[in-house]
Amino acid sequence: MEVRSSMCSSGGMMGDIELNELKFKRYQCKECDSKFKGAGKTPTCPSCGSEDVELIE
């Protein structure tokens, strides 16, 4: 079974993204020390919403 997801964007149409094509990296939030997996150029901490994160892997 193939899983597909669509993303909303205010800047235009993003199209469908296949989740298995995304490359997730591990980050740690500098504000709340939460560790999480993220993707994209500006990952955001899911716990506190901060963009002040560092790549740990």
Side-chain angles (χ1 to χ4, degrees):
M1 179 177 167
E2 184 176 336
V3 178
R4 299 184 73 110
S5 175
S6 297
M7 297 179 71
C8 295
S9 171
S10 61
M13 189 171 165
M14 293 290 291
D16 290 333
I17 297 174
E18 292 191 31
L19 294 178
N20 59 358
E21 291 181 3
L22 291 177
K23 294 184 180 182
F24 291 95
K25 297 178 181 173
R26 292 194 44 84
Y27 294 91
Q28 183 168 6
C29 179
K30 292 182 178 179
E31 297 292 325
C32 70
D33 291 329
S34 177
K35 294 179 182 174
F36 61 96
K37 290 183 179 178
K41 293 181 180 177
T42 54
T44 303
C45 176
S47 296
C48 70
S50 174
E51 291 182 359
D52 190 12
V53 301
E54 66 180 348
L55 182 66
I56 56 174
E57 286 183 24

mmCIF file of all heavy atoms in Angstrom:
data_model
loop_
_atom_site.group_PDB
_atom_site.id
_atom_site.type_symbol
_atom_site.label_atom_id
_atom_site.label_comp_id
_atom_site.label_asym_id
_atom_site.label_seq_id
_atom_site.Cartn_x
_atom_site.Cartn_y
_atom_site.Cartn_z
ATOM 1 N N MET A 1 0.842 -1.186 0.000
ATOM 2 C CA MET A 1 0.000 0.000 0.000
ATOM 3 C C MET A 1 0.882 1.242 0.000
ATOM 4 O O MET A 1 1.787 1.376 0.798
ATOM 5 C CB MET A 1 -0.894 -0.031 1.239
ATOM 6 C CG MET A 1 -1.786 1.163 1.349
ATOM 7 S SD MET A 1 -2.837 0.955 2.809
ATOM 8 C CE MET A 1 -3.457 2.568 2.923
ATOM 9 N N GLU A 2 0.635 2.134 -0.905
ATOM 10 C CA GLU A 2 1.413 3.359 -1.019
ATOM 11 C C GLU A 2 0.733 4.478 -0.233
ATOM 12 O O GLU A 2 -0.464 4.669 -0.338
ATOM 13 C CB GLU A 2 1.525 3.752 -2.479
ATOM 14 C CG GLU A 2 2.391 4.962 -2.703
ATOM 15 C CD GLU A 2 2.558 5.276 -4.178
ATOM 16 O OE1 GLU A 2 2.421 4.370 -5.016
ATOM 17 O OE2 GLU A 2 2.814 6.425 -4.484
ATOM 18 N N VAL A 3 1.515 5.188 0.595
ATOM 19 C CA VAL A 3 0.985 6.285 1.394
ATOM 20 C C VAL A 3 1.395 7.583 0.737
ATOM 21 O O VAL A 3 2.554 7.800 0.441
ATOM 22 C CB VAL A 3 1.524 6.237 2.839
ATOM 23 C CG1 VAL A 3 1.007 7.414 3.629
ATOM 24 C CG2 VAL A 3 1.145 4.931 3.495
ATOM 25 N N ARG A 4 0.443 8.441 0.511
ATOM 26 C CA ARG A 4 0.729 9.736 -0.109
ATOM 27 C C ARG A 4 0.179 10.829 0.796
ATOM 28 O O ARG A 4 -0.791 10.639 1.495
ATOM 29 C CB ARG A 4 0.105 9.830 -1.486
ATOM 30 C CG ARG A 4 0.645 8.761 -2.434
ATOM 31 C CD ARG A 4 0.075 8.966 -3.792
ATOM 32 N NE ARG A 4 0.696 10.124 -4.371
ATOM 33 C CZ ARG A 4 1.565 10.119 -5.377
ATOM 34 N NH1 ARG A 4 1.872 9.049 -5.935
ATOM 35 N NH2 ARG A 4 2.102 11.197 -5.851
ATOM 36 N N SER A 5 0.802 11.967 0.746
ATOM 37 C CA SER A 5 0.357 13.082 1.558
ATOM 38 C C SER A 5 0.395 14.351 0.728
ATOM 39 O O SER A 5 1.241 14.517 -0.127
ATOM 40 C CB SER A 5 1.277 13.232 2.769
ATOM 41 O OG SER A 5 0.927 14.376 3.507
ATOM 42 N N SER A 6 -0.514 15.244 0.998
ATOM 43 C CA SER A 6 -0.514 16.552 0.361
ATOM 44 C C SER A 6 -0.222 17.598 1.416
ATOM 45 O O SER A 6 -0.587 17.449 2.569
ATOM 46 C CB SER A 6 -1.870 16.842 -0.267
ATOM 47 O OG SER A 6 -2.126 15.909 -1.275
ATOM 48 N N MET A 7 0.476 18.657 1.050
ATOM 49 C CA MET A 7 0.794 19.714 1.982
ATOM 50 C C MET A 7 0.145 21.005 1.505
ATOM 51 O O MET A 7 0.081 21.272 0.322
ATOM 52 C CB MET A 7 2.306 19.917 2.080
ATOM 53 C CG MET A 7 3.025 18.714 2.618
ATOM 54 S SD MET A 7 4.786 18.954 2.712
ATOM 55 C CE MET A 7 4.881 20.113 4.054
ATOM 56 N N CYS A 8 -0.309 21.812 2.450
ATOM 57 C CA CYS A 8 -0.872 23.111 2.119
ATOM 58 C C CYS A 8 0.255 24.134 2.071
ATOM 59 O O CYS A 8 1.227 24.029 2.776
ATOM 60 C CB CYS A 8 -1.885 23.532 3.176
ATOM 61 S SG CYS A 8 -3.309 22.466 3.245
ATOM 62 N N SER A 9 0.106 25.128 1.245
ATOM 63 C CA SER A 9 1.111 26.166 1.133
ATOM 64 C C SER A 9 0.437 27.472 0.764
ATOM 65 O O SER A 9 -0.498 27.483 -0.026
ATOM 66 C CB SER A 9 2.132 25.792 0.065
ATOM 67 O OG SER A 9 2.991 26.876 -0.183
ATOM 68 N N SER A 10 0.920 28.564 1.347
ATOM 69 C CA SER A 10 0.366 29.857 0.985
ATOM 70 C C SER A 10 1.047 30.413 -0.263
ATOM 71 O O SER A 10 0.569 31.346 -0.869
ATOM 72 C CB SER A 10 0.514 30.846 2.143
ATOM 73 O OG SER A 10 1.873 31.019 2.449
ATOM 74 N N GLY A 11 2.167 29.822 -0.664
ATOM 75 C CA GLY A 11 2.927 30.333 -1.792
ATOM 76 C C GLY A 11 2.628 29.660 -3.107
ATOM 77 O O GLY A 11 3.175 30.019 -4.136
ATOM 78 N N GLY A 12 1.787 28.666 -3.097
ATOM 79 C CA GLY A 12 1.487 28.001 -4.353
ATOM 80 C C GLY A 12 1.225 26.533 -4.139
ATOM 81 O O GLY A 12 1.232 26.023 -3.026
ATOM 82 N N MET A 13 1.039 25.856 -5.204
ATOM 83 C CA MET A 13 0.707 24.447 -5.145
ATOM 84 C C MET A 13 1.964 23.609 -4.922
ATOM 85 O O MET A 13 2.944 23.764 -5.619
ATOM 86 C CB MET A 13 0.037 24.051 -6.461
ATOM 87 C CG MET A 13 -0.544 22.705 -6.461
ATOM 88 S SD MET A 13 -1.503 22.555 -7.985
ATOM 89 C CE MET A 13 -1.722 20.810 -8.013
ATOM 90 N N MET A 14 1.937 22.747 -3.910
ATOM 91 C CA MET A 14 3.094 21.910 -3.591
ATOM 92 C C MET A 14 3.006 20.563 -4.294
ATOM 93 O O MET A 14 4.009 19.938 -4.556
ATOM 94 C CB MET A 14 3.184 21.675 -2.079
ATOM 95 C CG MET A 14 3.504 22.903 -1.274
ATOM 96 S SD MET A 14 5.186 23.458 -1.512
ATOM 97 C CE MET A 14 6.054 22.127 -0.703
ATOM 98 N N GLY A 15 1.820 20.065 -4.547
ATOM 99 C CA GLY A 15 1.667 18.765 -5.167
ATOM 100 C C GLY A 15 1.753 17.657 -4.144
ATOM 101 O O GLY A 15 1.865 17.888 -2.949
ATOM 102 N N ASP A 16 1.692 16.454 -4.612
ATOM 103 C CA ASP A 16 1.765 15.294 -3.730
ATOM 104 C C ASP A 16 3.212 14.963 -3.425
ATOM 105 O O ASP A 16 4.088 15.083 -4.271
ATOM 106 C CB ASP A 16 1.100 14.092 -4.395
ATOM 107 C CG ASP A 16 -0.409 14.267 -4.486
ATOM 108 O OD1 ASP A 16 -0.963 14.994 -3.647
ATOM 109 O OD2 ASP A 16 -1.003 13.671 -5.390
ATOM 110 N N ILE A 17 3.445 14.529 -2.196
ATOM 111 C CA ILE A 17 4.775 14.127 -1.767
ATOM 112 C C ILE A 17 4.689 12.690 -1.281
ATOM 113 O O ILE A 17 3.825 12.362 -0.484
ATOM 114 C CB ILE A 17 5.291 15.022 -0.625
ATOM 115 C CG1 ILE A 17 5.436 16.451 -1.113
ATOM 116 C CG2 ILE A 17 6.600 14.489 -0.072
ATOM 117 C CD1 ILE A 17 5.788 17.433 -0.022
ATOM 118 N N GLU A 18 5.569 11.853 -1.750
ATOM 119 C CA GLU A 18 5.606 10.489 -1.266
ATOM 120 C C GLU A 18 6.446 10.480 -0.010
ATOM 121 O O GLU A 18 7.606 10.892 -0.021
ATOM 122 C CB GLU A 18 6.179 9.564 -2.325
ATOM 123 C CG GLU A 18 5.249 9.442 -3.526
ATOM 124 C CD GLU A 18 5.661 8.327 -4.456
ATOM 125 O OE1 GLU A 18 6.211 7.329 -3.967
ATOM 126 O OE2 GLU A 18 5.424 8.473 -5.654
ATOM 127 N N LEU A 19 5.845 10.018 1.105
ATOM 128 C CA LEU A 19 6.513 10.063 2.404
ATOM 129 C C LEU A 19 7.798 9.251 2.428
ATOM 130 O O LEU A 19 8.742 9.603 3.117
ATOM 131 C CB LEU A 19 5.562 9.563 3.496
ATOM 132 C CG LEU A 19 4.349 10.452 3.739
ATOM 133 C CD1 LEU A 19 3.454 9.826 4.803
ATOM 134 C CD2 LEU A 19 4.777 11.840 4.174
ATOM 135 N N ASN A 20 7.871 8.159 1.665
ATOM 136 C CA ASN A 20 9.082 7.340 1.684
ATOM 137 C C ASN A 20 10.231 8.009 0.937
ATOM 138 O O ASN A 20 11.356 7.562 1.006
ATOM 139 C CB ASN A 20 8.809 5.934 1.147
ATOM 140 C CG ASN A 20 8.281 5.937 -0.279
ATOM 141 O OD1 ASN A 20 8.079 6.998 -0.864
ATOM 142 N ND2 ASN A 20 8.056 4.769 -0.829
ATOM 143 N N GLU A 21 9.982 9.125 0.240
ATOM 144 C CA GLU A 21 11.049 9.852 -0.447
ATOM 145 C C GLU A 21 11.648 10.950 0.430
ATOM 146 O O GLU A 21 12.699 11.481 0.117
ATOM 147 C CB GLU A 21 10.520 10.462 -1.739
ATOM 148 C CG GLU A 21 10.183 9.428 -2.788
ATOM 149 C CD GLU A 21 9.679 10.063 -4.070
ATOM 150 O OE1 GLU A 21 9.642 11.295 -4.157
ATOM 151 O OE2 GLU A 21 9.324 9.301 -4.971
ATOM 152 N N LEU A 22 10.973 11.307 1.528
ATOM 153 C CA LEU A 22 11.495 12.336 2.420
ATOM 154 C C LEU A 22 12.659 11.788 3.230
ATOM 155 O O LEU A 22 12.643 10.649 3.665
ATOM 156 C CB LEU A 22 10.409 12.813 3.380
ATOM 157 C CG LEU A 22 9.271 13.606 2.768
ATOM 158 C CD1 LEU A 22 8.248 13.926 3.849
ATOM 159 C CD2 LEU A 22 9.788 14.891 2.166
ATOM 160 N N LYS A 23 13.674 12.619 3.424
ATOM 161 C CA LYS A 23 14.820 12.227 4.234
ATOM 162 C C LYS A 23 14.749 12.993 5.549
ATOM 163 O O LYS A 23 14.913 14.212 5.566
ATOM 164 C CB LYS A 23 16.122 12.523 3.502
ATOM 165 C CG LYS A 23 16.288 11.669 2.274
ATOM 166 C CD LYS A 23 17.604 11.899 1.616
ATOM 167 C CE LYS A 23 17.699 10.995 0.383
ATOM 168 N NZ LYS A 23 18.974 11.129 -0.278
ATOM 169 N N PHE A 24 14.486 12.253 6.626
ATOM 170 C CA PHE A 24 14.387 12.873 7.934
ATOM 171 C C PHE A 24 15.747 12.868 8.620
ATOM 172 O O PHE A 24 16.504 11.918 8.503
ATOM 173 C CB PHE A 24 13.375 12.113 8.801
ATOM 174 C CG PHE A 24 11.963 12.275 8.316
ATOM 175 C CD1 PHE A 24 11.395 11.335 7.479
ATOM 176 C CD2 PHE A 24 11.215 13.370 8.689
ATOM 177 C CE1 PHE A 24 10.099 11.477 7.027
ATOM 178 C CE2 PHE A 24 9.921 13.527 8.243
ATOM 179 C CZ PHE A 24 9.362 12.582 7.407
ATOM 180 N N LYS A 25 16.049 13.941 9.337
ATOM 181 C CA LYS A 25 17.277 14.052 10.127
ATOM 182 C C LYS A 25 16.883 14.302 11.568
ATOM 183 O O LYS A 25 15.788 14.760 11.854
ATOM 184 C CB LYS A 25 18.130 15.216 9.611
ATOM 185 C CG LYS A 25 18.599 15.014 8.199
ATOM 186 C CD LYS A 25 19.381 16.195 7.716
ATOM 187 C CE LYS A 25 19.816 15.979 6.271
ATOM 188 N NZ LYS A 25 20.448 17.184 5.720
ATOM 189 N N ARG A 26 17.804 13.995 12.490
ATOM 190 C CA ARG A 26 17.513 14.184 13.908
ATOM 191 C C ARG A 26 18.018 15.562 14.340
ATOM 192 O O ARG A 26 19.137 15.951 14.026
ATOM 193 C CB ARG A 26 18.139 13.084 14.745
ATOM 194 C CG ARG A 26 17.446 11.746 14.460
ATOM 195 C CD ARG A 26 17.748 10.671 15.466
ATOM 196 N NE ARG A 26 17.702 11.077 16.850
ATOM 197 C CZ ARG A 26 16.588 11.143 17.601
ATOM 198 N NH1 ARG A 26 15.443 10.844 17.073
ATOM 199 N NH2 ARG A 26 16.642 11.492 18.867
ATOM 200 N N TYR A 27 17.170 16.252 15.083
ATOM 201 C CA TYR A 27 17.481 17.593 15.572
ATOM 202 C C TYR A 27 17.246 17.665 17.070
ATOM 203 O O TYR A 27 16.489 16.871 17.634
ATOM 204 C CB TYR A 27 16.579 18.637 14.892
ATOM 205 C CG TYR A 27 16.827 18.784 13.426
ATOM 206 C CD1 TYR A 27 16.121 18.021 12.510
ATOM 207 C CD2 TYR A 27 17.768 19.692 12.949
ATOM 208 C CE1 TYR A 27 16.349 18.144 11.145
ATOM 209 C CE2 TYR A 27 17.999 19.829 11.588
ATOM 210 C CZ TYR A 27 17.279 19.051 10.701
ATOM 211 O OH TYR A 27 17.499 19.185 9.346
ATOM 212 N N GLN A 28 17.905 18.658 17.698
ATOM 213 C CA GLN A 28 17.645 18.954 19.099
ATOM 214 C C GLN A 28 17.324 20.434 19.206
ATOM 215 O O GLN A 28 18.041 21.289 18.669
ATOM 216 C CB GLN A 28 18.841 18.617 19.978
ATOM 217 C CG GLN A 28 18.559 18.862 21.450
ATOM 218 C CD GLN A 28 19.608 18.262 22.347
ATOM 219 O OE1 GLN A 28 20.614 17.743 21.892
ATOM 220 N NE2 GLN A 28 19.363 18.317 23.639
ATOM 221 N N CYS A 29 16.256 20.726 19.925
ATOM 222 C CA CYS A 29 15.824 22.108 20.112
ATOM 223 C C CYS A 29 16.716 22.790 21.148
ATOM 224 O O CYS A 29 16.977 22.236 22.218
ATOM 225 C CB CYS A 29 14.369 22.130 20.573
ATOM 226 S SG CYS A 29 13.743 23.792 20.876
ATOM 227 N N LYS A 30 17.205 23.986 20.855
ATOM 228 C CA LYS A 30 18.048 24.730 21.782
ATOM 229 C C LYS A 30 17.220 25.426 22.858
ATOM 230 O O LYS A 30 17.754 25.852 23.866
ATOM 231 C CB LYS A 30 18.887 25.764 21.028
ATOM 232 C CG LYS A 30 19.932 25.139 20.131
ATOM 233 C CD LYS A 30 20.748 26.212 19.448
ATOM 234 C CE LYS A 30 21.824 25.620 18.577
ATOM 235 N NZ LYS A 30 22.610 26.668 17.888
ATOM 236 N N GLU A 31 15.913 25.527 22.633
ATOM 237 C CA GLU A 31 15.039 26.190 23.612
ATOM 238 C C GLU A 31 14.564 25.229 24.697
ATOM 239 O O GLU A 31 14.605 25.557 25.870
ATOM 240 C CB GLU A 31 13.824 26.800 22.905
ATOM 241 C CG GLU A 31 14.165 27.891 21.914
ATOM 242 C CD GLU A 31 14.699 29.146 22.572
ATOM 243 O OE1 GLU A 31 14.246 29.477 23.676
ATOM 244 O OE2 GLU A 31 15.583 29.792 21.977
ATOM 245 N N CYS A 32 14.089 24.027 24.288
ATOM 246 C CA CYS A 32 13.497 23.105 25.268
ATOM 247 C C CYS A 32 14.217 21.758 25.341
ATOM 248 O O CYS A 32 13.775 20.873 26.074
ATOM 249 C CB CYS A 32 12.013 22.886 24.955
ATOM 250 S SG CYS A 32 11.688 21.932 23.461
ATOM 251 N N ASP A 33 15.315 21.574 24.593
ATOM 252 C CA ASP A 33 16.115 20.336 24.575
ATOM 253 C C ASP A 33 15.372 19.125 24.025
ATOM 254 O O ASP A 33 15.836 18.004 24.167
ATOM 255 C CB ASP A 33 16.683 20.007 25.954
ATOM 256 C CG ASP A 33 17.739 20.994 26.387
ATOM 257 O OD1 ASP A 33 18.453 21.530 25.511
ATOM 258 O OD2 ASP A 33 17.871 21.239 27.600
ATOM 259 N N SER A 34 14.231 19.304 23.418
ATOM 260 C CA SER A 34 13.495 18.198 22.820
ATOM 261 C C SER A 34 14.249 17.679 21.600
ATOM 262 O O SER A 34 14.840 18.447 20.847
ATOM 263 C CB SER A 34 12.103 18.685 22.403
ATOM 264 O OG SER A 34 11.393 17.658 21.750
ATOM 265 N N LYS A 35 14.266 16.357 21.433
ATOM 266 C CA LYS A 35 14.880 15.743 20.256
ATOM 267 C C LYS A 35 13.766 15.242 19.357
ATOM 268 O O LYS A 35 12.773 14.692 19.826
ATOM 269 C CB LYS A 35 15.789 14.592 20.662
ATOM 270 C CG LYS A 35 16.997 15.065 21.449
ATOM 271 C CD LYS A 35 17.864 13.911 21.863
ATOM 272 C CE LYS A 35 19.041 14.438 22.691
ATOM 273 N NZ LYS A 35 19.844 13.353 23.245
ATOM 274 N N PHE A 36 13.944 15.428 18.050
ATOM 275 C CA PHE A 36 12.898 15.047 17.104
ATOM 276 C C PHE A 36 13.497 14.812 15.731
ATOM 277 O O PHE A 36 14.632 15.177 15.463
ATOM 278 C CB PHE A 36 11.809 16.128 17.037
ATOM 279 C CG PHE A 36 12.325 17.469 16.571
ATOM 280 C CD1 PHE A 36 12.219 17.829 15.235
ATOM 281 C CD2 PHE A 36 12.912 18.344 17.452
ATOM 282 C CE1 PHE A 36 12.688 19.058 14.786
ATOM 283 C CE2 PHE A 36 13.402 19.578 17.023
ATOM 284 C CZ PHE A 36 13.285 19.931 15.693
ATOM 285 N N LYS A 37 12.704 14.188 14.863
ATOM 286 C CA LYS A 37 13.083 14.008 13.466
ATOM 287 C C LYS A 37 12.389 15.082 12.661
ATOM 288 O O LYS A 37 11.209 15.359 12.867
ATOM 289 C CB LYS A 37 12.678 12.628 12.956
ATOM 290 C CG LYS A 37 13.481 11.503 13.540
ATOM 291 C CD LYS A 37 13.063 10.192 12.938
ATOM 292 C CE LYS A 37 13.896 9.057 13.512
ATOM 293 N NZ LYS A 37 13.481 7.758 12.964
ATOM 294 N N GLY A 38 13.132 15.699 11.747
ATOM 295 C CA GLY A 38 12.566 16.744 10.926
ATOM 296 C C GLY A 38 13.072 16.673 9.500
ATOM 297 O O GLY A 38 14.053 15.990 9.207
ATOM 298 N N ALA A 39 12.397 17.380 8.626
ATOM 299 C CA ALA A 39 12.790 17.450 7.221
ATOM 300 C C ALA A 39 12.622 18.889 6.749
ATOM 301 O O ALA A 39 11.875 19.660 7.339
ATOM 302 C CB ALA A 39 11.930 16.513 6.382
ATOM 303 N N GLY A 40 13.338 19.243 5.723
ATOM 304 C CA GLY A 40 13.213 20.583 5.159
ATOM 305 C C GLY A 40 14.343 21.495 5.591
ATOM 306 O O GLY A 40 15.217 21.115 6.367
ATOM 307 N N LYS A 41 14.318 22.727 5.061
ATOM 308 C CA LYS A 41 15.399 23.677 5.313
ATOM 309 C C LYS A 41 15.299 24.321 6.687
ATOM 310 O O LYS A 41 16.310 24.710 7.260
ATOM 311 C CB LYS A 41 15.401 24.750 4.233
ATOM 312 C CG LYS A 41 15.774 24.217 2.883
ATOM 313 C CD LYS A 41 15.791 25.318 1.854
ATOM 314 C CE LYS A 41 16.179 24.753 0.485
ATOM 315 N NZ LYS A 41 16.146 25.779 -0.546
ATOM 316 N N THR A 42 14.090 24.511 7.206
ATOM 317 C CA THR A 42 13.917 25.143 8.511
ATOM 318 C C THR A 42 13.007 24.297 9.385
ATOM 319 O O THR A 42 11.827 24.598 9.532
ATOM 320 C CB THR A 42 13.332 26.557 8.369
ATOM 321 O OG1 THR A 42 12.129 26.476 7.610
ATOM 322 C CG2 THR A 42 14.305 27.496 7.683
ATOM 323 N N PRO A 43 13.572 23.236 9.980
ATOM 324 C CA PRO A 43 12.750 22.400 10.853
ATOM 325 C C PRO A 43 12.324 23.171 12.096
ATOM 326 O O PRO A 43 13.048 24.035 12.586
ATOM 327 C CB PRO A 43 13.671 21.238 11.215
ATOM 328 C CG PRO A 43 15.039 21.748 10.995
ATOM 329 C CD PRO A 43 14.947 22.772 9.904
ATOM 330 N N THR A 44 11.151 22.869 12.576
ATOM 331 C CA THR A 44 10.588 23.525 13.745
ATOM 332 C C THR A 44 10.333 22.498 14.834
ATOM 333 O O THR A 44 9.829 21.413 14.564
ATOM 334 C CB THR A 44 9.247 24.199 13.365
ATOM 335 O OG1 THR A 44 9.486 25.115 12.295
ATOM 336 C CG2 THR A 44 8.665 24.948 14.537
ATOM 337 N N CYS A 45 10.699 22.833 16.058
ATOM 338 C CA CYS A 45 10.495 21.936 17.192
ATOM 339 C C CYS A 45 8.996 21.674 17.375
ATOM 340 O O CYS A 45 8.223 22.622 17.518
ATOM 341 C CB CYS A 45 11.077 22.557 18.463
ATOM 342 S SG CYS A 45 10.768 21.561 19.937
ATOM 343 N N PRO A 46 8.593 20.388 17.401
ATOM 344 C CA PRO A 46 7.169 20.086 17.582
ATOM 345 C C PRO A 46 6.688 20.346 19.003
ATOM 346 O O PRO A 46 5.483 20.477 19.225
ATOM 347 C CB PRO A 46 7.074 18.600 17.220
ATOM 348 C CG PRO A 46 8.443 18.071 17.455
ATOM 349 C CD PRO A 46 9.392 19.195 17.172
ATOM 350 N N SER A 47 7.608 20.452 19.968
ATOM 351 C CA SER A 47 7.203 20.663 21.363
ATOM 352 C C SER A 47 6.926 22.128 21.674
ATOM 353 O O SER A 47 5.930 22.460 22.305
ATOM 354 C CB SER A 47 8.279 20.140 22.314
ATOM 355 O OG SER A 47 8.418 18.748 22.170
ATOM 356 N N CYS A 48 7.840 23.031 21.245
ATOM 357 C CA CYS A 48 7.678 24.437 21.615
ATOM 358 C C CYS A 48 7.527 25.378 20.413
ATOM 359 O O CYS A 48 7.270 26.556 20.593
ATOM 360 C CB CYS A 48 8.857 24.886 22.480
ATOM 361 S SG CYS A 48 10.416 25.012 21.606
ATOM 362 N N GLY A 49 7.741 24.861 19.197
ATOM 363 C CA GLY A 49 7.567 25.683 18.003
ATOM 364 C C GLY A 49 8.782 26.511 17.625
ATOM 365 O O GLY A 49 8.744 27.270 16.663
ATOM 366 N N SER A 50 9.886 26.369 18.362
ATOM 367 C CA SER A 50 11.096 27.141 18.070
ATOM 368 C C SER A 50 11.776 26.653 16.789
ATOM 369 O O SER A 50 11.778 25.468 16.484
ATOM 370 C CB SER A 50 12.076 27.011 19.241
ATOM 371 O OG SER A 50 13.305 27.631 18.919
ATOM 372 N N GLU A 51 12.361 27.581 16.061
ATOM 373 C CA GLU A 51 13.181 27.227 14.900
ATOM 374 C C GLU A 51 14.661 27.232 15.260
ATOM 375 O O GLU A 51 15.510 27.014 14.408
ATOM 376 C CB GLU A 51 12.919 28.211 13.760
ATOM 377 C CG GLU A 51 11.525 28.075 13.172
ATOM 378 C CD GLU A 51 11.290 29.017 12.007
ATOM 379 O OE1 GLU A 51 12.192 29.800 11.660
ATOM 380 O OE2 GLU A 51 10.183 28.967 11.444
ATOM 381 N N ASP A 52 14.986 27.463 16.533
ATOM 382 C CA ASP A 52 16.373 27.462 17.009
ATOM 383 C C ASP A 52 16.751 26.029 17.374
ATOM 384 O O ASP A 52 16.710 25.625 18.540
ATOM 385 C CB ASP A 52 16.510 28.386 18.216
ATOM 386 C CG ASP A 52 17.961 28.604 18.600
ATOM 387 O OD1 ASP A 52 18.864 28.230 17.823
ATOM 388 O OD2 ASP A 52 18.195 29.159 19.694
ATOM 389 N N VAL A 53 17.090 25.241 16.342
ATOM 390 C CA VAL A 53 17.403 23.824 16.509
ATOM 391 C C VAL A 53 18.760 23.529 15.892
ATOM 392 O O VAL A 53 19.255 24.278 15.057
ATOM 393 C CB VAL A 53 16.320 22.931 15.864
ATOM 394 C CG1 VAL A 53 14.957 23.195 16.479
ATOM 395 C CG2 VAL A 53 16.265 23.110 14.371
ATOM 396 N N GLU A 54 19.377 22.422 16.345
ATOM 397 C CA GLU A 54 20.645 22.021 15.753
ATOM 398 C C GLU A 54 20.564 20.573 15.301
ATOM 399 O O GLU A 54 19.879 19.747 15.914
ATOM 400 C CB GLU A 54 21.796 22.212 16.730
ATOM 401 C CG GLU A 54 21.762 21.330 17.929
ATOM 402 C CD GLU A 54 22.944 21.578 18.857
ATOM 403 O OE1 GLU A 54 23.906 22.261 18.465
ATOM 404 O OE2 GLU A 54 22.892 21.071 19.968
ATOM 405 N N LEU A 55 21.277 20.284 14.209
ATOM 406 C CA LEU A 55 21.336 18.934 13.660
ATOM 407 C C LEU A 55 22.208 18.085 14.567
ATOM 408 O O LEU A 55 23.328 18.482 14.911
ATOM 409 C CB LEU A 55 21.912 18.992 12.240
ATOM 410 C CG LEU A 55 22.016 17.691 11.467
ATOM 411 C CD1 LEU A 55 20.620 17.136 11.177
ATOM 412 C CD2 LEU A 55 22.769 17.925 10.169
ATOM 413 N N ILE A 56 21.723 16.909 14.998
ATOM 414 C CA ILE A 56 22.516 16.052 15.879
ATOM 415 C C ILE A 56 22.937 14.761 15.183
ATOM 416 O O ILE A 56 23.719 14.002 15.718
ATOM 417 C CB ILE A 56 21.790 15.737 17.197
ATOM 418 C CG1 ILE A 56 20.435 15.100 16.969
ATOM 419 C CG2 ILE A 56 21.670 16.991 18.024
ATOM 420 C CD1 ILE A 56 19.753 14.638 18.258
ATOM 421 N N GLU A 57 22.414 14.434 14.022
ATOM 422 C CA GLU A 57 22.847 13.246 13.265
ATOM 423 C C GLU A 57 22.894 13.582 11.810
ATOM 424 O O GLU A 57 22.119 14.278 11.288
ATOM 425 C CB GLU A 57 21.884 12.081 13.460
ATOM 426 C CG GLU A 57 22.015 11.466 14.804
ATOM 427 C CD GLU A 57 21.091 10.259 14.948
ATOM 428 O OE1 GLU A 57 20.709 9.629 13.931
ATOM 429 O OE2 GLU A 57 20.760 9.954 16.068
#
